[in-house]
Amino acid sequence: YLRVSSSSEPDGSSTGWTTYGSIGAYTLTGSFPSLIGFADNFAEAASLPSGFSFSGIEASNSSATAELNEPLHAGSVPKHSLWWKWSPGVIGRMKLSTFGSTFDTVLAVYTGTSLGKLSPVVSNDNVHPLLNYSQVDFPVTREGVYYVAVDGKNGATGRVVLSGSGTTASSPSNDNLGAATTLSGSSLLVRSSNFNATREDGEPEHRLTTKGTY
Protein backbone atom coordinates (compact mmCIF):
# COMPACT_ATOMS: atom_id res chain seq x y z
CA TYR A 1 0.00 0.00 0.00
CA LEU A 2 1.27 3.45 -0.93
CA ARG A 3 -0.09 6.69 0.54
CA VAL A 4 0.46 10.16 -0.90
CA SER A 5 -0.49 13.21 1.16
CA SER A 6 0.19 16.95 1.24
CA SER A 7 3.08 18.35 3.24
CA SER A 8 4.42 21.75 4.28
CA GLU A 9 7.85 23.18 3.54
CA PRO A 10 10.20 22.65 6.51
CA ASP A 11 10.11 25.25 9.26
CA GLY A 12 12.37 28.23 8.67
CA SER A 13 11.91 28.30 4.91
CA SER A 14 11.22 31.76 3.49
CA THR A 15 9.64 30.38 0.30
CA GLY A 16 7.69 27.48 1.72
CA TRP A 17 4.02 26.68 2.05
CA THR A 18 1.61 25.23 4.53
CA THR A 19 0.10 21.76 4.37
CA TYR A 20 -3.24 23.43 3.61
CA GLY A 21 -1.79 25.10 0.51
CA SER A 22 0.06 22.02 -0.78
CA ILE A 23 -2.30 21.15 -3.62
CA GLY A 24 -1.37 20.09 -7.15
CA ALA A 25 -0.29 17.34 -9.47
CA TYR A 26 2.32 14.77 -8.53
CA THR A 27 4.17 11.94 -10.27
CA LEU A 28 4.82 8.54 -8.72
CA THR A 29 7.52 6.34 -10.25
CA GLY A 30 9.05 3.02 -9.32
CA SER A 31 10.81 -0.05 -10.62
CA PHE A 32 10.08 -3.72 -10.05
CA PRO A 33 12.97 -5.93 -11.24
CA SER A 34 11.03 -9.10 -10.43
CA LEU A 35 7.50 -10.23 -9.67
CA ILE A 36 8.92 -13.00 -7.49
CA GLY A 37 9.46 -12.23 -3.84
CA PHE A 38 12.13 -13.49 -1.50
CA ALA A 39 12.37 -14.22 2.20
CA ASP A 40 14.95 -13.78 4.90
CA ASN A 41 13.61 -16.80 6.80
CA PHE A 42 13.19 -20.41 5.66
CA ALA A 43 9.59 -20.69 6.89
CA GLU A 44 8.56 -17.73 4.72
CA ALA A 45 10.38 -18.84 1.55
CA ALA A 46 8.81 -17.30 -1.56
CA SER A 47 7.65 -19.58 -4.38
CA LEU A 48 9.57 -19.69 -7.66
CA PRO A 49 7.68 -20.38 -10.92
CA SER A 50 6.81 -24.07 -11.23
CA GLY A 51 8.17 -24.29 -14.77
CA PHE A 52 11.68 -25.22 -15.83
CA SER A 53 12.70 -21.78 -17.06
CA PHE A 54 12.80 -18.46 -15.24
CA SER A 55 15.17 -15.51 -15.12
CA GLY A 56 15.47 -11.93 -13.95
CA ILE A 57 14.66 -12.76 -10.33
CA GLU A 58 16.49 -10.09 -8.36
CA ALA A 59 16.80 -9.29 -4.68
CA SER A 60 19.24 -7.81 -2.19
CA ASN A 61 20.64 -9.69 0.78
CA SER A 62 22.07 -6.54 2.39
CA SER A 63 19.53 -6.59 5.23
CA ALA A 64 19.10 -10.37 5.40
CA THR A 65 20.16 -12.37 8.43
CA ALA A 66 21.00 -15.94 9.40
CA GLU A 67 18.70 -18.12 11.50
CA LEU A 68 19.41 -20.41 14.42
CA ASN A 69 20.11 -23.96 13.20
CA GLU A 70 20.57 -22.78 9.61
CA PRO A 71 22.93 -25.19 7.79
CA LEU A 72 26.18 -24.28 6.10
CA HIS A 73 25.58 -23.33 2.48
CA ALA A 74 28.29 -24.84 0.26
CA GLY A 75 30.50 -24.99 3.36
CA SER A 76 30.00 -21.30 4.14
CA VAL A 77 28.66 -20.06 7.48
CA PRO A 78 25.29 -18.35 6.80
CA LYS A 79 25.18 -14.62 7.48
CA HIS A 80 22.89 -12.92 4.94
CA SER A 81 20.85 -15.72 3.37
CA LEU A 82 17.73 -15.47 1.22
CA TRP A 83 15.25 -18.33 0.66
CA TRP A 84 13.00 -19.51 -2.17
CA LYS A 85 11.07 -22.75 -2.75
CA TRP A 86 10.33 -24.54 -6.01
CA SER A 87 7.90 -27.35 -6.90
CA PRO A 88 8.51 -28.77 -10.40
CA GLY A 89 5.37 -30.92 -10.63
CA VAL A 90 7.09 -33.26 -13.10
CA ILE A 91 10.24 -35.34 -13.27
CA GLY A 92 13.24 -33.74 -14.89
CA ARG A 93 16.54 -32.01 -14.31
CA MET A 94 17.10 -28.42 -13.19
CA LYS A 95 19.99 -25.97 -13.34
CA LEU A 96 20.06 -22.90 -11.06
CA SER A 97 22.54 -20.05 -11.38
CA THR A 98 23.41 -16.76 -9.65
CA PHE A 99 25.12 -15.40 -12.76
CA GLY A 100 24.79 -11.60 -12.82
CA SER A 101 24.93 -11.16 -9.05
CA THR A 102 27.16 -8.33 -7.84
CA PHE A 103 29.05 -10.28 -5.17
CA ASP A 104 30.61 -13.69 -4.45
CA THR A 105 27.62 -15.97 -3.86
CA VAL A 106 27.04 -19.42 -2.43
CA LEU A 107 24.05 -21.47 -3.59
CA ALA A 108 22.44 -24.49 -1.95
CA VAL A 109 19.35 -26.63 -2.54
CA TYR A 110 17.56 -28.67 0.14
CA THR A 111 14.51 -30.81 0.79
CA GLY A 112 12.71 -30.99 4.12
CA THR A 113 9.94 -29.39 6.11
CA SER A 114 11.82 -27.46 8.79
CA LEU A 115 15.09 -25.59 9.07
CA GLY A 116 16.63 -28.03 11.52
CA LYS A 117 15.75 -31.11 9.44
CA LEU A 118 16.88 -30.17 5.95
CA SER A 119 18.51 -32.70 3.65
CA PRO A 120 21.10 -31.22 1.26
CA VAL A 121 20.52 -31.93 -2.43
CA VAL A 122 23.34 -29.98 -4.06
CA SER A 123 25.42 -26.85 -3.40
CA ASN A 124 28.11 -24.73 -5.02
CA ASP A 125 30.46 -21.91 -4.11
CA ASN A 126 32.01 -20.87 -7.40
CA VAL A 127 31.18 -22.46 -10.74
CA HIS A 128 34.85 -21.91 -11.69
CA PRO A 129 37.92 -20.82 -9.67
CA LEU A 130 38.05 -17.57 -11.64
CA LEU A 131 34.31 -16.83 -11.40
CA ASN A 132 32.30 -15.67 -8.38
CA TYR A 133 28.84 -16.84 -9.33
CA SER A 134 27.36 -20.20 -8.30
CA GLN A 135 25.61 -22.90 -10.32
CA VAL A 136 24.01 -26.25 -9.48
CA ASP A 137 22.49 -29.02 -11.63
CA PHE A 138 20.30 -31.70 -10.07
CA PRO A 139 17.51 -34.23 -10.85
CA VAL A 140 14.01 -33.50 -9.53
CA THR A 141 10.96 -35.61 -8.78
CA ARG A 142 7.31 -34.92 -9.53
CA GLU A 143 6.31 -34.54 -5.87
CA GLY A 144 9.49 -32.81 -4.69
CA VAL A 145 9.57 -29.41 -2.97
CA TYR A 146 13.04 -27.86 -3.16
CA TYR A 147 14.29 -25.01 -1.00
CA VAL A 148 16.90 -22.70 -2.50
CA ALA A 149 19.25 -20.63 -0.34
CA VAL A 150 21.52 -17.88 -1.65
CA ASP A 151 24.08 -16.21 0.60
CA GLY A 152 27.32 -14.28 0.28
CA LYS A 153 30.65 -15.95 0.87
CA ASN A 154 32.34 -14.64 4.01
CA GLY A 155 29.40 -12.33 4.69
CA ALA A 156 29.36 -10.63 1.29
CA THR A 157 26.23 -8.69 0.34
CA GLY A 158 24.78 -7.10 -2.77
CA ARG A 159 22.30 -7.72 -5.57
CA VAL A 160 21.27 -11.33 -6.12
CA VAL A 161 20.24 -12.51 -9.58
CA LEU A 162 18.71 -15.99 -9.68
CA SER A 163 17.79 -17.89 -12.84
CA GLY A 164 16.81 -21.44 -13.69
CA SER A 165 16.67 -23.66 -16.76
CA GLY A 166 16.01 -27.35 -17.12
CA THR A 167 14.33 -30.14 -18.99
CA THR A 168 11.46 -32.48 -18.23
CA ALA A 169 11.78 -36.22 -18.71
CA SER A 170 9.75 -37.97 -21.40
CA SER A 171 7.28 -40.68 -20.43
CA PRO A 172 8.03 -44.26 -21.57
CA SER A 173 6.49 -45.20 -24.92
CA ASN A 174 4.41 -47.90 -23.19
CA ASP A 175 3.26 -45.72 -20.31
CA ASN A 176 -0.43 -46.28 -21.17
CA LEU A 177 -2.37 -49.52 -21.66
CA GLY A 178 -3.28 -48.58 -25.22
CA ALA A 179 0.40 -48.38 -26.11
CA ALA A 180 1.46 -51.63 -24.42
CA THR A 181 4.61 -53.23 -25.80
CA THR A 182 4.02 -56.60 -27.48
CA LEU A 183 6.16 -59.42 -26.16
CA SER A 184 6.66 -62.70 -27.98
CA GLY A 185 8.72 -65.87 -27.85
CA SER A 186 9.20 -68.58 -25.24
CA SER A 187 12.17 -66.86 -23.58
CA LEU A 188 12.27 -63.17 -22.67
CA LEU A 189 14.71 -60.68 -21.27
CA VAL A 190 13.32 -57.16 -21.15
CA ARG A 191 15.22 -54.12 -19.96
CA SER A 192 13.22 -50.94 -19.52
CA SER A 193 12.60 -48.08 -17.11
CA ASN A 194 9.53 -46.63 -15.39
CA PHE A 195 11.20 -43.21 -15.08
CA ASN A 196 8.50 -40.54 -15.46
CA ALA A 197 5.77 -43.14 -15.98
CA THR A 198 2.29 -42.17 -14.80
CA ARG A 199 -0.94 -43.79 -13.66
CA GLU A 200 -3.91 -43.61 -16.00
CA ASP A 201 -7.43 -42.68 -14.98
CA GLY A 202 -9.18 -45.87 -13.87
CA GLU A 203 -5.98 -47.90 -13.70
CA PRO A 204 -6.24 -50.55 -10.96
CA GLU A 205 -3.72 -50.99 -8.18
CA HIS A 206 -1.01 -53.50 -9.01
CA ARG A 207 -0.47 -55.44 -5.81
CA LEU A 208 -0.65 -58.91 -4.30
CA THR A 209 -4.22 -60.24 -4.46
CA THR A 210 -3.49 -63.85 -3.50
CA LYS A 211 -0.51 -65.02 -1.50
CA GLY A 212 2.32 -65.97 -3.83
CA THR A 213 0.66 -64.66 -6.98
CA TYR A 214 0.26 -61.32 -8.79
Side-chain angles (χ1 to χ4, degrees):
Y1 295 89
L2 302 177
R3 181 176 184 270
V4 178
S5 61
S6 59
S7 178
S8 62
E9 186 73 8
D11 293 339
S13 172
S14 60
T15 60
W17 54 83
T18 65
T19 300
Y20 175 80
S22 181
I23 300 174
Y26 66 89
T27 301
L28 183 66
T29 61
S31 62
F32 302 89
S34 173
L35 296 178
I36 305 299
F38 60 93
D40 184 15
N41 298 327
F42 167 83
E44 301 169 349
S47 296
L48 292 168
S50 59
F52 278 71
S53 179
F54 52 82
S55 62
I57 296 174
E58 300 184 15
S60 172
N61 74 330
S62 298
S63 300
T65 59
E67 297 179 82
L68 183 66
N69 296 324
E70 186 167 344
L72 301 181
H73 306 308
S76 179
V77 176
K79 293 185 177 181
H80 303 283
S81 57
L82 298 176
W83 289 92
W84 289 269
K85 62 181 177 181
W86 179 64
S87 302
V90 295
I91 295 174
R93 193 168 191 89
M94 189 59 165
K95 180 185 293 184
L96 297 175
S97 172
T98 61
F99 176 77
S101 300
T102 61
F103 62 101
D104 190 354
T105 63
V106 291
L107 172 63
V109 180
Y110 303 90
T111 57
T113 56
S114 64
L115 189 64
K117 297 181 180 180
L118 293 179
S119 298
V121 176
V122 65
S123 63
N124 179 249
D125 178 3
N126 295 334
V127 68
H128 186 277
L130 300 179
L131 300 174
N132 287 334
Y133 75 91
S134 308
Q135 183 172 290
V136 294
D137 187 346
F138 57 103
V140 299
T141 63
R142 182 183 295 105
E143 300 81 10
V145 178
Y146 300 89
Y147 288 87
V148 180
V150 177
D151 203 342
K153 187 174 183 179
N154 299 324
T157 60
R159 181 171 62 96
V160 176
V161 178
L162 182 65
S163 60
S165 62
T167 56
T168 59
S170 300
S171 298
S173 60
N174 59 342
D175 184 18
N176 296 329
L177 174 64
T181 300
T182 300
L183 303 177
S184 61
S186 58
S187 177
L188 296 174
L189 176 60
V190 178
R191 290 188 174 92
S192 187
S193 171
N194 68 340
F195 186 73
N196 211 30
T198 60
R199 181 179 180 179
E200 295 180 81
D201 290 339
E203 184 172 351
E205 295 186 18
H206 308 302
R207 59 180 182 176
L208 282 171
T209 56
T210 303
K211 186 176 180 180
T213 62
Y214 287 89

PDB file of all heavy atoms in Angstrom, residues 6-11 16-20 22:
ATOM      1  N   SER A   6      -0.433  15.619   1.322  1.00  0.00           N
ATOM      2  CA  SER A   6       0.187  16.947   1.238  1.00  0.00           C
ATOM      3  C   SER A   6       1.147  17.154   2.394  1.00  0.00           C
ATOM      4  O   SER A   6       1.046  16.520   3.438  1.00  0.00           O
ATOM      5  CB  SER A   6      -0.899  18.027   1.245  1.00  0.00           C
ATOM      6  OG  SER A   6      -1.677  17.919   2.433  1.00  0.00           O
ATOM      7  N   SER A   7       2.086  18.076   2.213  1.00  0.00           N
ATOM      8  CA  SER A   7       3.076  18.346   3.240  1.00  0.00           C
ATOM      9  C   SER A   7       3.509  19.804   3.153  1.00  0.00           C
ATOM     10  O   SER A   7       3.445  20.428   2.086  1.00  0.00           O
ATOM     11  CB  SER A   7       4.287  17.429   3.072  1.00  0.00           C
ATOM     12  OG  SER A   7       5.269  17.708   4.035  1.00  0.00           O
ATOM     13  N   SER A   8       3.943  20.358   4.257  1.00  0.00           N
ATOM     14  CA  SER A   8       4.421  21.746   4.278  1.00  0.00           C
ATOM     15  C   SER A   8       5.918  21.791   4.060  1.00  0.00           C
ATOM     16  O   SER A   8       6.629  20.803   4.258  1.00  0.00           O
ATOM     17  CB  SER A   8       4.069  22.395   5.615  1.00  0.00           C
ATOM     18  OG  SER A   8       4.710  21.700   6.679  1.00  0.00           O
ATOM     19  N   GLU A   9       6.409  22.951   3.643  1.00  0.00           N
ATOM     20  CA  GLU A   9       7.855  23.182   3.540  1.00  0.00           C
ATOM     21  C   GLU A   9       8.425  23.197   4.949  1.00  0.00           C
ATOM     22  O   GLU A   9       7.770  23.661   5.893  1.00  0.00           O
ATOM     23  CB  GLU A   9       8.119  24.508   2.829  1.00  0.00           C
ATOM     24  CG  GLU A   9       9.580  24.797   2.517  1.00  0.00           C
ATOM     25  CD  GLU A   9      10.119  23.958   1.383  1.00  0.00           C
ATOM     26  OE1 GLU A   9       9.333  23.256   0.729  1.00  0.00           O
ATOM     27  OE2 GLU A   9      11.337  23.995   1.154  1.00  0.00           O
ATOM     28  N   PRO A  10       9.634  22.678   5.160  1.00  0.00           N
ATOM     29  CA  PRO A  10      10.203  22.647   6.510  1.00  0.00           C
ATOM     30  C   PRO A  10      10.210  24.020   7.178  1.00  0.00           C
ATOM     31  O   PRO A  10      10.304  25.054   6.521  1.00  0.00           O
ATOM     32  CB  PRO A  10      11.628  22.138   6.270  1.00  0.00           C
ATOM     33  CG  PRO A  10      11.531  21.357   5.006  1.00  0.00           C
ATOM     34  CD  PRO A  10      10.502  22.056   4.178  1.00  0.00           C
ATOM     35  N   ASP A  11      10.092  23.992   8.503  1.00  0.00           N
ATOM     36  CA  ASP A  11      10.113  25.245   9.263  1.00  0.00           C
ATOM     37  C   ASP A  11      11.379  26.041   8.966  1.00  0.00           C
ATOM     38  O   ASP A  11      12.470  25.479   8.801  1.00  0.00           O
ATOM     39  CB  ASP A  11      10.049  24.956  10.768  1.00  0.00           C
ATOM     40  CG  ASP A  11       8.722  24.356  11.163  1.00  0.00           C
ATOM     41  OD1 ASP A  11       7.751  24.527  10.396  1.00  0.00           O
ATOM     42  OD2 ASP A  11       8.660  23.727  12.238  1.00  0.00           O
ATOM     43  N   GLY A  16       8.452  28.720   1.571  1.00  0.00           N
ATOM     44  CA  GLY A  16       7.694  27.482   1.725  1.00  0.00           C
ATOM     45  C   GLY A  16       6.206  27.683   1.666  1.00  0.00           C
ATOM     46  O   GLY A  16       5.705  28.734   1.265  1.00  0.00           O
ATOM     47  N   TRP A  17       5.470  26.647   2.067  1.00  0.00           N
ATOM     48  CA  TRP A  17       4.015  26.683   2.047  1.00  0.00           C
ATOM     49  C   TRP A  17       3.482  25.801   3.171  1.00  0.00           C
ATOM     50  O   TRP A  17       4.193  24.957   3.718  1.00  0.00           O
ATOM     51  CB  TRP A  17       3.486  26.186   0.697  1.00  0.00           C
ATOM     52  CG  TRP A  17       4.020  24.831   0.319  1.00  0.00           C
ATOM     53  CD1 TRP A  17       3.555  23.628   0.724  1.00  0.00           C
ATOM     54  CD2 TRP A  17       5.143  24.558  -0.501  1.00  0.00           C
ATOM     55  NE1 TRP A  17       4.302  22.600   0.206  1.00  0.00           N
ATOM     56  CE2 TRP A  17       5.302  23.153  -0.577  1.00  0.00           C
ATOM     57  CE3 TRP A  17       6.045  25.356  -1.206  1.00  0.00           C
ATOM     58  CZ2 TRP A  17       6.302  22.524  -1.292  1.00  0.00           C
ATOM     59  CZ3 TRP A  17       7.046  24.734  -1.929  1.00  0.00           C
ATOM     60  CH2 TRP A  17       7.170  23.327  -1.983  1.00  0.00           C
ATOM     61  N   THR A  18       2.243  26.010   3.479  1.00  0.00           N
ATOM     62  CA  THR A  18       1.606  25.229   4.531  1.00  0.00           C
ATOM     63  C   THR A  18       1.058  23.934   3.947  1.00  0.00           C
ATOM     64  O   THR A  18       0.920  23.780   2.734  1.00  0.00           O
ATOM     65  CB  THR A  18       0.458  26.003   5.167  1.00  0.00           C
ATOM     66  OG1 THR A  18      -0.565  26.200   4.180  1.00  0.00           O
ATOM     67  CG2 THR A  18       0.931  27.355   5.685  1.00  0.00           C
ATOM     68  N   THR A  19       0.725  23.001   4.815  1.00  0.00           N
ATOM     69  CA  THR A  19       0.100  21.763   4.365  1.00  0.00           C
ATOM     70  C   THR A  19      -1.222  22.057   3.669  1.00  0.00           C
ATOM     71  O   THR A  19      -1.570  21.423   2.672  1.00  0.00           O
ATOM     72  CB  THR A  19      -0.142  20.835   5.568  1.00  0.00           C
ATOM     73  OG1 THR A  19       1.102  20.547   6.186  1.00  0.00           O
ATOM     74  CG2 THR A  19      -0.795  19.523   5.145  1.00  0.00           C
ATOM     75  N   TYR A  20      -1.949  23.051   4.188  1.00  0.00           N
ATOM     76  CA  TYR A  20      -3.237  23.434   3.609  1.00  0.00           C
ATOM     77  C   TYR A  20      -3.085  23.884   2.157  1.00  0.00           C
ATOM     78  O   TYR A  20      -3.924  23.588   1.297  1.00  0.00           O
ATOM     79  CB  TYR A  20      -3.869  24.550   4.439  1.00  0.00           C
ATOM     80  CG  TYR A  20      -5.158  25.095   3.856  1.00  0.00           C
ATOM     81  CD1 TYR A  20      -6.364  24.417   4.033  1.00  0.00           C
ATOM     82  CD2 TYR A  20      -5.166  26.286   3.132  1.00  0.00           C
ATOM     83  CE1 TYR A  20      -7.536  24.901   3.502  1.00  0.00           C
ATOM     84  CE2 TYR A  20      -6.340  26.774   2.593  1.00  0.00           C
ATOM     85  CZ  TYR A  20      -7.522  26.086   2.777  1.00  0.00           C
ATOM     86  OH  TYR A  20      -8.683  26.576   2.240  1.00  0.00           O
ATOM     87  N   SER A  22      -0.702  22.972   0.046  1.00  0.00           N
ATOM     88  CA  SER A  22       0.058  22.019  -0.778  1.00  0.00           C
ATOM     89  C   SER A  22      -0.893  21.198  -1.626  1.00  0.00           C
ATOM     90  O   SER A  22      -1.259  20.083  -1.270  1.00  0.00           O
ATOM     91  CB  SER A  22       0.913  21.125   0.115  1.00  0.00           C
ATOM     92  OG  SER A  22       1.667  20.231  -0.655  1.00  0.00           O
TER      93      SER A  22
END
